[in-house]
């Protein structure tokens, strides 16, 4: 089978294509209704099929002779722990965790927030929810209390599952004070919080609300998987939009299971029994899809790594994991590979390990820059494949299909659209542009199985954020182009989303937080290119009357206060370090801040003074402030 044949088969008859792919999943009741549009115009795949995602990830393999195979290998250099869970063991632990949730009154359709570090219990929690039809929402452990609070208010969880701490290289990050503070801030209060006490920190428990995980799980009964419909939601995953309010992406069981099974073999080239190392975090979509669900649905072994690409203890960590566990495919973010390259430019660590089991490396989360791609390929000796997707889609929109036909790699390109995704480049008026011309990357509706069906409790926001720019298309928010051989190049966001070390954040969120400071009258946050992290945020601040007479020393204090404010309100992962003071922000006559122009100036790119600008002299000040800051370094 070639890529052209596979893509062509989908294009000729999408429903027949997905019906065939659905046969790879063991349904309790096979679906007949392949693609349904509901009264609201939302698409649901396999709505009348019956299945259980946890059953497919665990019980099914135990019933089919994989019980003794390693399902999940926990490797934690930060705690010096290694532990392998066979499919039998993982099933047993998950059914008990599900029993614990049932004991707390969690039922089908209830929501559960999981705010946990990269420990196996986090995966168990996700699968346990899936087992009983509860809808999980994992919140990345690096988010500060207010971010967690806004997710609690939106998802309204019955129960929150958490741990006493996470470990960042050698720093203990206590989660419980963050959780308590988030619950204080939120209007919605969960009925209970289950806390896993780790030996590195002991959490103080609130009587009547907090429950000790080990104690509760040891008393819990084991639970059977529930029959769910294809359109029952599996999870909500919040992602940043252009405003401060996160968007709760909803993913349904049926489409998700089919997309995971299809993509892990067709795109990542993995088969049952293979070992997959996805070095990310369960707080992100990459972690949901390719640390937890897809490898387990496919009967693979997944590596659950609680560590960093460097510093735990060195730039050889990934290669050590590959040797230790005979890893067949590695998946991480380009920023991780850049960090390794910076530490080990000659690839000396790579030579210390036997990595012959590795068939290919995959990168996503941001564009894989050509120098990193080339460096990786030359040092590791296997193909390094970029794949473009988003929290919303759950699996790659464009990639190189390692399991079908690997096309020649073009540096800087995510290769070609995957079956299910009809990608077009549109200009701002919604007209298709020619190959070679850059524009907005849009996807013709309907979106394929596995993609978001709506935003949690907000169909209107789903439609206005994604479906209203161009009639009949989903707007990705990314800009890019096709070359003359139909290879897709995705060059970056065209909206106010910023991508810091593969972490997607909203500049609007930053601005809301900075605006809380009494010395800030107005501000705009824009992304500056960064060698390691891809992008970092820079704040342009107009001082209020409170701040307008500040001395240089006090300005330094202000800058540090703003930095701390962002850490406290968004989290350290925001990497906010620099504030530039300006007297005015460039705006259009209707008052819209010209962030795009500011970003171009900041990144020394060519820019055209927008004709709608209120006063072009403002740009001179921006240019001046940016150049002065560059001189300071
Ligand atoms: N919990 C709490 N804090 C966290 C955290 C977590 N889960 N993850 C990161 N942080 C903190 C870090 O401790 C650091 O804090 P500091 O400023 O006090 O030192 C800050 O957030 C920035 O962390 P990070 O982005 O990890 O930068 P770094 O310079 O420490 O490390 C890399 C650089 C490249 C190693 C790191 O960015 C990395 O591993 N990136 C991969 C990202 C990824 O997997 N993305 C998933 C999308 S596919
Ligand atoms: P997230 O939803 O956090 O996974 O972020 C998705 C966004 O990250 C996309 O909209 C892109 O802007 C960016 N992105 C992810 N992968 C790639 C890639 N391979 N190439 C270019 N941009 C990417």
């Amino acid at each position: 089978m070639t890529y052209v044949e596979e893509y062509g088969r989908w294009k000729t008859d999408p429903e027949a294509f997905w019906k065939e792919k659905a046969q790879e999943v063991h349904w309790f009741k096979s679906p007949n209704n392949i693609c349904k549009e509901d009264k609201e115009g939302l698409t649901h795949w396999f709505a009348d099929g019956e299945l259980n995602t946890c059953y497919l990830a665990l019980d099914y393999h135990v019933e089919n002779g994989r019980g003794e195979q390693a399902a999940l290998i926990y490797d934690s250099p930060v705690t010096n722990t290694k532990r392998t869970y066979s499919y039998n063991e993982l099933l047993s632990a998950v059914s008990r965790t599900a029993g614990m949730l049932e004991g707390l009154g969690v039922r089908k359709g209830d929501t559960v927030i999981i705010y946990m570090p990269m420990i196996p219990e986090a995966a168990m929690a996700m699968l346990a929810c899936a087992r009983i039809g509860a809808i999980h929402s994992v919140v990345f452990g690096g988010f500060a209390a207010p971010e967690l609070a806004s997710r609690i208010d939106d998802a309204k969880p019955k129960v929150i599952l958490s741990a006493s701490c996470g470990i960042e290289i050698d720093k203990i990050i206590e989660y419980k004070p963050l959780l308590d503070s988030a619950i204080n801030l939120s209007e919605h209060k969960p009925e209970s919080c289950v806390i896993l006490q780790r030996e590195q920190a002991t959490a103080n428990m609130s009587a009547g609300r907090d429950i000790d995980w080990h104690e509760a799980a040891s008393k819990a009964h084991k639970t059977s998987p529930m029959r769910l419909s294809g359109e029952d939601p599996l999870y909500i995953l919040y992602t940043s939009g252009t405003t401060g309010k996160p968007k709760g992406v909803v993913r349904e069981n049926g489409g998700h299971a089919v997309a995971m099974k299809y993509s892990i073999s067709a795109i990542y080239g993995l088969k049952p029994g293979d070992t997959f190392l996805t070095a990310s975090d369960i707080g992100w979509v990459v972690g949901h899809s390719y640390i937890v669900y897809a490898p387990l649905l496919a009967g693979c072994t997944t590596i659950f790594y609680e560590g960093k690409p460097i510093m735990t203890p060195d730039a050889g960590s990934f290669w050590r994991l590959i040797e230790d566990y005979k890893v067949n495919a590695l998946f991480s973010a380009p920023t991780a590979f850049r960090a390794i390259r910076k530490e080990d430019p000659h690839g000396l660590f790579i030579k210390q390990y036997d990595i012959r089991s590795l068939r290919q490396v995959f990168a996503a989360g941001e564009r894989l820059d050509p120098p990193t791609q080339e460096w990786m390929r030359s040092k590791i000796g296997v193909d390094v494949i970029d794949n473009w997707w988003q929290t919303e889609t759950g699996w790659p929109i464009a990639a190189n299909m390692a399991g079908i036909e690997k096309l020649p790699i073009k540096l800087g390109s995510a290769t070609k659209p995957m079956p299910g995704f009809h990608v077009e480049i549109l200009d701002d008026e919604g007209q298709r542009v020619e190959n070679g011309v850059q524009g907005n990357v849009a996807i013709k509706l309907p979106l394929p199985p596995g993609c978001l069906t709506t935003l949690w409790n907000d169909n209107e926001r789903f439609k206005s954020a994604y479906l209203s720019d161009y009639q009949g298309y989903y707007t990705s928010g990314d800009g890019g182009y096709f070359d003359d051989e139909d290879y897709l190049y995705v060059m970056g966001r065209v909206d106010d989303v910023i991508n810091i070390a593969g972490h997607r954040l909203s500049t609007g969120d930053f601005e809301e937080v900075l605006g809380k400071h009494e010395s800030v009258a107005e501000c705009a946050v824009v992304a500056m290119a960064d060698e390691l992290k891809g992008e970092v945020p820079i704040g342009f601040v107009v001082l209020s009357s409170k701040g307008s007479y500040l001395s240089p020393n006090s300005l330094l204090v202000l800058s540090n206060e703003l930095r701390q404010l962002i850490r406290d309100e968004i989290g350290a992962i925001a990497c906010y370090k620099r504030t530039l003071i300006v007297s005015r922000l460039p705006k259009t006559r209707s008052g819209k801040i010209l962030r795009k122009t500011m970003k171009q100036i900041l990144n020394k790119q060519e820019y055209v003074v927008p004709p709608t600008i209120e006063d072009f002299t403002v740009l001179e000040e921006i240019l001046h402030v940016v150049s002065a800051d560059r001189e300071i370094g």
Side-chain angles (χ1 to χ4, degrees):
M1 178 78 70
T2 64
Y3 162 78
V4 170
E5 284 164 353
E6 180 79 347
Y7 194 78
R9 283 181 61 238
W10 163 71
K11 220 163 172 195
T12 313
D13 191 344
E15 289 215 12
F17 179 88
W18 288 118
K19 187 171 182 177
E20 180 198 302
K21 300 302 171 201
Q23 283 162 14
E24 297 295 313
V25 167
H26 182 89
W27 301 83
F28 296 145
K29 174 177 166 280
S30 291
N32 287 314
N33 192 347
I34 304 302
C35 183
K36 172 182 117 178
E37 191 176 287
D38 69 15
K39 285 185 280 202
E40 290 257 12
L42 307 176
T43 303
H44 306 271
W45 289 90
F46 315 114
D48 66 346
E50 285 179 11
L51 78 169
N52 182 285
T53 301
C54 178
Y55 169 84
L56 294 170
L58 300 174
D59 310 59
Y60 175 80
H61 299 305
V62 168
E63 288 168 14
N64 288 278
R66 290 194 182 278
E68 294 302 320
Q69 185 196 308
L72 183 150
I73 299 175
Y74 170 55
D75 187 296
S76 169
V78 294
T79 58
N80 221 357
T81 315
K82 291 177 187 178
R83 175 155 183 206
T84 299
Y85 294 82
S86 66
Y87 272 96
N88 280 330
E89 288 165 327
L90 194 58
L91 172 58
S92 167
V94 167
S95 21
R96 229 177 254 292
T97 311
M100 173 177 88
L101 289 173
E102 279 191 338
L104 294 170
V106 177
R107 297 289 176 266
K108 181 185 167 206
D110 285 340
T111 50
V112 173
I113 278 190
I114 301 171
Y115 182 61
M116 295 183 73
M118 281 293 291
I119 52 176
E121 287 80 0
M124 290 169 195
M126 293 165 74
L127 291 159
C129 289
R131 196 165 186 83
I132 59 173
I135 305 161
H136 63 70
S137 184
V138 181
V139 178
F140 177 56
F143 277 126
E147 290 290 328
L148 177 57
S150 67
R151 287 154 175 80
I152 293 174
D153 273 334
D154 200 73
K156 304 200 172 21
K158 189 163 216 171
V159 170
I160 298 183
L161 302 173
S162 190
S164 58
C165 68
I167 300 149
E168 277 297 294
I169 308 177
D170 52 1
K171 256 186 314 184
I172 309 286
I173 313 277
E174 294 210 25
Y175 278 31
K176 191 60 189 350
L178 296 170
L179 176 63
D180 288 342
S181 151
I183 296 173
N184 270 338
L185 289 170
S186 63
E187 271 175 39
H188 172 84
K189 309 290 174 195
E191 285 174 18
S192 15
C193 296
V194 186
I195 310 295
L196 190 123
Q197 298 281 16
R198 301 187 79 184
E199 62 184 55
Q200 293 76 13
T202 304
N204 290 326
M205 306 291 265
S206 306
R209 188 197 71 191
D210 296 346
I211 292 156
D212 181 274
W213 185 306
H214 289 305
E215 225 176 278
S218 65
K219 289 190 217 134
H221 60 273
K222 289 190 177 175
T223 306
S224 312
M226 178 176 260
R227 283 172 91 101
L228 299 170
S229 91
E231 62 181 336
D232 281 328
L234 170 66
Y235 69 76
I236 309 165
L237 180 56
Y238 287 90
T239 189
S240 300
T242 49
T243 66
K245 189 177 183 298
K247 300 193 278 201
V249 162
V250 176
R251 191 133 22 248
E252 297 177 351
N253 277 279
H256 174 259
V258 174
M260 290 300 103
K261 277 215 87 169
Y262 177 60
S263 60
I264 196 161
S265 77
I267 301 176
Y268 299 98
L270 291 164
K271 39 185 202 318
D274 279 346
T275 300
F276 201 10
L277 165 59
T278 299
S280 179
D281 189 287
I282 46 140
W284 309 113
V285 69
V286 172
H288 279 63
S289 294
Y290 298 109
I291 297 178
V292 180
Y293 284 115
L296 295 178
L297 286 168
C300 295
T301 300
T302 186
I303 310 290
F304 215 78
Y305 177 57
E306 188 183 28
K308 299 265 178 185
I310 54 173
M311 297 181 285
T312 55
D314 54 41
S317 317
F318 285 1
W319 325 126
R320 196 260 306 160
L321 290 162
I322 293 168
E323 176 182 289
D324 282 358
Y325 306 117
K326 304 276 170 289
V327 168
N328 303 111
L330 162 67
F331 186 176
S332 197
T335 187
F337 300 140
R338 286 197 296 269
I340 293 173
R341 181 183 173 197
K342 198 167 166 224
E343 291 281 308
D344 183 22
H346 304 295
L348 299 179
F349 278 112
I350 302 171
K351 295 198 181 110
Q352 290 177 20
Y353 298 95
D354 177 359
I355 58 165
R356 282 173 300 170
S357 58
L358 190 66
R359 299 198 288 259
Q360 39 249 326
V361 174
F362 298 91
E366 59 181 307
R367 180 167 177 256
L368 177 57
D369 55 291
T372 305
Q373 193 169 6
E374 244 172 347
W375 181 84
M376 290 283 288
R377 160 85 217 167
S378 70
K379 296 292 180 245
I380 304 171
V382 300
D383 283 334
V384 182
I385 298 178
D386 189 7
N387 50 122
W388 168 61
W389 48 299
Q390 320 178 300
T391 306
E392 288 84 346
T393 64
W395 61 288
I397 308 166
N400 204 341
M401 303 184 85
I404 301 275
E405 179 204 20
K406 223 189 299 171
L407 297 171
I409 288 174
K410 289 195 184 187
L411 296 179
S413 168
T415 315
K416 298 205 180 191
M418 292 297 91
F421 293 98
H422 180 125
V423 178
E424 288 185 4
I425 310 293
L426 306 179
D427 65 19
D428 289 346
E429 277 66 52
Q431 297 303 313
R432 262 184 90 168
V433 300
E434 287 181 9
N435 285 18
V437 177
Q438 196 153 323
N440 304 296
V441 191
I443 303 164
K444 222 172 188 172
L445 297 172
L447 293 172
C451 293
L452 83 170
T453 43
T454 188
L455 294 177
W456 183 245
N457 277 336
D458 206 345
N459 291 344
E460 285 320 305
R461 189 171 180 208
F462 169 62
K463 290 179 195 169
S464 66
Y466 298 106
L467 311 183
S468 65
D469 287 352
Y470 315 109
Q471 181 70 32
Y473 290 88
Y474 164 89
T475 307
S476 72
D478 282 312
Y481 64 93
F482 279 111
D483 73 4
D484 52 7
E485 290 181 309
D486 293 326
Y487 275 62
L488 181 64
Y489 292 72
V490 179
M491 306 307 290
R493 299 291 301 195
V494 290
D495 55 14
D496 296 326
V497 164
I498 180 166
N499 194 323
I500 304 157
H503 306 138
R504 175 173 157 187
L505 297 167
S506 141
T507 53
D509 204 1
F510 281 94
E511 289 166 11
E512 266 176 41
V513 173
L514 295 181
K516 289 182 184 171
H517 195 287
E518 58 173 11
S519 295
V520 175
E522 223 185 348
C523 63
V525 173
V526 293
M528 187 170 85
D530 182 84
E531 240 184 24
L532 180 64
K533 294 184 192 274
E535 290 183 336
V536 289
I538 305 286
F540 288 87
V541 162
V542 178
L543 297 175
S544 67
S545 51
K546 286 253 182 219
S548 46
Y549 299 106
L550 292 178
S551 65
N553 252 353
S554 323
L555 282 176
L556 199 65
V557 171
L558 171 66
S559 175
N560 286 335
E561 283 173 2
L562 294 178
R563 192 171 158 171
Q564 192 57 43
L565 199 58
I566 297 281
R567 285 178 79 90
D568 294 344
E569 299 260 329
I570 300 180
I573 48 148
C575 294
Y576 181 82
K577 302 225 160 84
R578 276 200 139 103
T579 300
L580 304 179
I581 307 292
V582 290
S583 61
R584 282 174 303 161
L585 295 173
K587 291 183 186 170
T588 61
R589 280 186 283 276
S590 59
K592 203 168 170 281
I593 298 174
L594 291 163
R595 289 186 187 77
K596 190 173 157 195
T597 317
M598 294 171 77
K599 187 173 166 185
Q600 287 164 330
I601 294 177
L602 188 65
N603 291 292
K604 287 197 197 153
Q605 290 163 347
E606 274 183 34
Y607 65 95
V608 179
V609 179
T612 51
I613 193 165
E614 190 187 28
D615 173 3
F616 69 89
T617 59
V618 187
L619 291 183
E620 287 170 11
E621 187 194 7
I622 300 281
L623 260 169
H624 175 74
V625 169
V626 166
S627 339
D629 184 64
R630 260 198 214 107
E631 275 166 33
I632 301 164

